[in-house]
């Protein structure tokens, strides 16, 4: 029994338990009373360990092994379905944990439940946020944006995200309805986005807004901050980028730079 336990990767206690439960009883004993496992016993043990690894309870394993002619395919399919459901559940939990970690980067003093309530689907990719900090570490605008984000209250974030959601709905509607990216409606939405940044984070002149919009196309993580992946459409990032560039050109053409409403 000790030898079998060693090479099978189980404990002697486990083998005793299988013996007591009638699941695996050694077929022979030595003159000294030691339990001896034959080849058929080892094959049965291998089957038991296979089903245990898949999470089958012992009574179900016993039922499967009781009839050597039985086809276990249906039981295996049921177990496969259960495992896939568990994998999906764990994946969702992993995503929740990842989002909780990422939202911490904003510095908002909220509980996890409050964060999800406020931020919803908007994804804060920690790797992108870190790279942005390194890229703009010496930028006064970046420092101002981080300082103002840290100072926002829960109610501030509710208003900010509500404003962003309403704007996002208008953007999707314009895109879905085929409005040109350089048309008045799209440019007005681009201007609203620029003023939103200025109102909540940092001054955003048209040139800066163009650089931000270029990032939407270059890095999906940046665009996910504006439109969650579940709401995105092919070409939408480029559409917004083009609208921002057209709006910036409009400002250059009329020689104005509208005041940001803080």
């Amino acid at each position: 029994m000790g030898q079998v336990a060693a090479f099978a990767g189980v404990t002697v206690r486990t083998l005793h338990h299988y013996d007591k439960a009638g699941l695996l009883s050694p077929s022979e004993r030595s003159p000294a009373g030691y339990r001896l496992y034959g080849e058929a016993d080892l094959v049965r043990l291998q089957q038991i360990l296979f089903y245990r690894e898949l999470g089958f309870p012992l009574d179900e394993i016993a039922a499967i092994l009781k009839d050597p002619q039985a086809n276990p395919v249906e039981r295996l399919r049921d177990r496969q379905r259960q495992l896939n459901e568990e994998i999906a559940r764990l994946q969702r939990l992993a995503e929740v944990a990842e989002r909780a970690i990422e939202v911490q980067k904003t510095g908002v003093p909220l509980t996890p439940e409050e964060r999800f309530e406020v931020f919803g689907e908007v994804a804060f990719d920690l790797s992108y946020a870190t790279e942005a900090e390194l890229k703009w570490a010496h930028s006064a605008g970046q420092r101002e944006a981080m300082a103002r984000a840290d100072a926002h209250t829960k109610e501030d974030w509710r208003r900010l995200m509500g404003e962003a959601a309403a704007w996002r709905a208008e953007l999707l509607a314009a895109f879905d309805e085929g409005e040109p990216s350089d048309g008045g409606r799209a440019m007005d939405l681009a201007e609203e986005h620029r003023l939103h940044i200025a109102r909540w984070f940092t001054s955003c002149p048209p040139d800066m807004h163009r650089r931000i919009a270029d990032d939407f196309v270059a890095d999906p993580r940046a665009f996910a901050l504006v439109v969650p992946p579940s709401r995105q459409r092919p070409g939408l990032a480029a559409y917004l980028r083009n609208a921002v560039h057209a709006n910036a050109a409009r400002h250059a053409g009329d020689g104005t730079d509208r005041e940001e409403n803080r």
Side-chain angles (χ1 to χ4, degrees):
M1 181 172 277
Q3 290 174 333
V4 170
F7 72 69
V10 298
T11 64
V12 170
R13 183 177 179 181
T14 295
L15 294 179
H16 276 296
H17 180 63
Y18 291 169
D19 188 5
K20 186 177 179 179
L23 193 61
L24 176 67
S25 298
S27 56
E28 299 179 35
R29 283 183 180 268
S30 72
Y34 290 106
R35 294 173 174 83
L36 300 178
Y37 292 86
E39 184 176 347
D41 299 328
L42 297 180
V43 170
R44 187 177 177 88
L45 175 59
Q46 186 178 40
Q47 291 176 307
I48 293 169
L49 296 178
F50 167 73
Y51 287 117
R52 285 298 288 158
E53 185 68 18
L54 289 176
F56 281 88
L58 292 182
D59 58 348
E60 193 168 350
I61 296 173
I64 294 172
L65 299 181
K66 186 175 182 179
D67 183 3
Q69 303 303 317
N71 187 341
V73 170
E74 286 306 314
R75 292 179 185 268
L76 287 170
R77 282 177 176 160
D78 286 343
R79 186 58 187 154
Q80 181 187 40
R81 176 183 54 77
Q82 294 168 7
L83 289 170
N84 283 333
E85 290 174 355
E86 181 66 7
I87 290 168
R89 186 185 72 85
L90 292 174
Q91 182 62 42
R92 288 194 298 271
L93 288 177
E95 291 170 358
V96 167
E98 182 179 9
R99 288 177 62 190
I101 292 168
E102 291 168 355
V103 171
Q104 288 280 357
K105 193 66 179 179
T106 67
V108 186
L110 306 177
T111 66
E113 294 81 4
E114 288 173 328
R115 289 190 184 95
F116 298 133
E117 177 187 348
V118 169
F119 293 110
E121 287 187 273
V122 174
F124 287 85
D125 189 306
L126 187 59
S127 62
Y128 177 75
T130 301
E131 288 175 17
E133 281 196 11
L134 293 174
K135 182 178 180 180
W136 305 107
H138 303 295
S139 165
Q142 173 74 2
R143 290 195 298 272
E144 180 188 7
M146 291 299 98
R148 290 180 63 188
D150 287 343
H152 288 339
T153 65
K154 177 181 175 180
E155 187 54 38
D156 288 336
W157 283 105
R158 283 186 188 280
R159 291 173 54 208
L160 185 162
M161 297 305 290
E163 184 179 293
W167 172 86
R168 184 163 52 247
E170 291 294 325
L171 173 70
L172 293 172
F175 181 80
D176 291 341
E177 292 168 17
E179 291 283 343
S181 60
D182 59 353
R185 183 176 175 186
M187 287 192 291
D188 287 347
L189 285 166
E191 179 66 7
E192 287 181 29
H193 182 259
R194 186 180 77 85
L195 296 179
H196 174 85
I197 294 172
R199 186 157 47 249
W200 294 105
F201 297 106
T202 185
S203 176
C204 185
D207 282 348
M208 177 186 290
H209 200 209
R210 273 198 295 259
R211 292 194 296 272
I212 292 172
D214 288 342
D215 226 15
F216 293 158
V217 175
D219 194 329
R221 299 171 302 172
F223 191 53
L225 294 172
V226 179
V227 180
S230 65
R231 306 288 306 280
Q232 292 178 14
R233 283 90 155 129
L236 182 60
Y239 178 85
L240 178 56
R241 187 270 314 276
N242 293 342
V244 168
H245 277 254
N247 183 56
R250 177 171 64 170
H251 279 296
D254 63 20
T256 64
D257 187 359
R258 303 179 193 179
E259 289 294 322
E260 286 86 347
N261 298 316
R262 295 189 181 271

